[in-house]
Structure formats: C-alpha cells, structure tokens
Amino acid sequence: MILMKDIVRDGDPVLRKRAAKVNFPLSDEDKKLAHDMMEYLEVSQDEKLCKKYGLRAGVGLAAPQVGKSEQMAAVLVPPLDPDAEDQTPSFKDVIINPVIVSESVQYGALTEGEGCLSVDKDVPGYVPRHDRITLRYTDVNGEDHKIRLKNYPAIVCQHEIDHLRGTLFYDHINKQHPFEAPHDTILIG
C-alpha cells in the first residue's frame, strides 16, 4: 500500500518532468501501480483508515507523485452531495495517456484554493482552470473513453493532468494578486 512516505515531495525533479506515454497492454508493474494509486485514494477518503495509516486525504494521485514518470493518474471524486442517498463517486477511474480535447472558455476555481499530496505547505490563492472539459483517456483494461466533466471533477482531472506535464497547482496562482481570478470565473466550494 502507498503511504505518505512513498509520495514524492515538491522539489523532486520527477514532478517537473513531462511524463512518458504508457504502452498497452499494461505491464504487471503498471497494473499494480494503477491499483495501488486508486487504493491510496480509497483508503485516504475513509476517515478511520486515513488516521490509522497517517495519510492525507486525496481525490487524485498521479504516477509522478510516486516517482514514476508515466502518464497515469488515479482520480476518485466523492459524491458532490455527501448526504445524498446515492453515494456513487462523481468520477472514479485511472486515467492513462489523458488528453483534454476541448475546454470551456469560462473558468472555475475552488474558493479554498487547491492542495496537493506532494506539496506540504499551504499555498493560498485561486487556481483558475477550465470549468468544463472533454477528456479522452484509456483505462487499465485498454478501453478508450471520452467524457465531459464540469466543476469539481473537471478541476481535479486538470490538476492530475498537470502533474503529467510537470506543472504544479501553484504555478497557476496569480503571484501579485492570489485571490484575483479571470472575469466571470465560477467559484466552487
């Protein structure tokens, strides 16, 4: 199981590299990596298990964050309404070789800003991202997907795709005015 000690921290060169495409069929090593990254997210979102293993809760984990410079990321966005009867995640999959094929002109940003398992310090400010995206990716079974995401799930996927390009969330924050966002940005949260 991936633990906090296994997660690469800001400053490690792997986080600033452009990750390599993943070949199919997946190797046993890549299948294990996909499984282990999703397992981390599932365990980290369980309050008791998160505490037991000393994890930080996460909704996404990219391969470079565990030292593998490959275009693979696990994403597990919980239901947007925690009190809803249907507790199906808003989005859950391991996205491999993801490509954003279209994006909205309108931006969205989380009111509380973004965090990252690889960044130990709090970096305040809005991280403007496209509010809606169309994402194309391959799953662990080699099946291709093309899906539309909006709001929080879109933001999470863009954050993880940034990891595959060597970009960290705070690179998007306006350094002079961290809580200034592009006109008409939807604030989420």
Side-chain angles (χ1 to χ4, degrees):
M1 188 170 100
I2 295 172
L3 299 171
M4 285 307 298
K5 69 176 179 54
D6 304 312
I7 294 178
V8 173
R9 296 309 204 281
D10 193 5
D12 190 303
V14 74
L15 293 175
R16 291 302 187 170
K17 270 179 71 177
R18 193 168 204 40
K21 277 195 151 226
V22 176
N23 294 318
F24 282 88
L26 290 185
S27 66
D28 289 343
E29 184 181 339
D30 281 337
K31 287 178 188 172
K32 181 175 175 5
L33 175 61
H35 170 272
D36 290 352
M37 290 192 305
M38 185 58 76
E39 178 186 52
Y40 177 92
L41 298 179
E42 291 168 347
V43 171
S44 80
Q45 290 183 24
D46 180 306
E47 214 172 302
K48 286 182 182 160
L49 292 176
C50 187
K51 195 172 190 170
K52 176 181 176 180
Y53 293 110
L55 306 179
R56 281 174 49 199
V59 291
L61 183 62
Q65 292 182 272
V66 291
K68 297 277 186 188
S69 190
E70 295 184 343
Q71 292 186 26
M72 180 188 305
V75 178
L76 176 53
V77 181
L80 296 182
D81 180 0
D83 299 323
E85 195 174 305
D86 179 13
Q87 286 298 297
T88 304
S90 298
F91 182 75
K92 179 182 182 178
D93 212 346
V94 175
I95 59 175
I96 302 172
N97 301 329
V99 176
I100 296 172
V101 293
S102 68
E103 54 203 19
S104 64
V105 173
Q106 187 163 40
Y107 285 92
L110 302 179
T111 53
E112 74 275 7
E114 290 184 22
C116 180
L117 296 170
S118 292
V119 179
D120 291 325
K121 64 181 190 254
D122 193 27
V123 184
Y126 293 145
V127 180
R129 298 193 183 274
H130 298 281
D131 185 56
R132 292 177 308 284
I133 61 170
T134 300
L135 178 65
R136 189 176 64 227
Y137 69 94
T138 306
D139 67 20
V140 293
N141 299 315
E143 293 177 27
D144 294 326
H145 298 265
K146 187 175 176 182
I147 59 165
R148 298 184 68 187
L149 298 168
K150 65 180 185 174
N151 305 123
Y152 189 52
I155 287 172
V156 172
C157 285
Q158 289 172 85
H159 178 115
E160 296 313 315
I161 291 169
D162 270 358
H163 277 300
L164 309 181
R165 297 174 176 161
T167 302
L168 293 172
F169 75 93
Y170 59 73
D171 297 339
H172 297 287
I173 297 173
N174 180 327
K175 306 297 179 255
Q176 313 308 328
H177 307 282
F179 288 98
E180 195 172 278
H183 178 68
D184 282 345
T185 296
I186 297 170
L187 295 177
I188 302 160

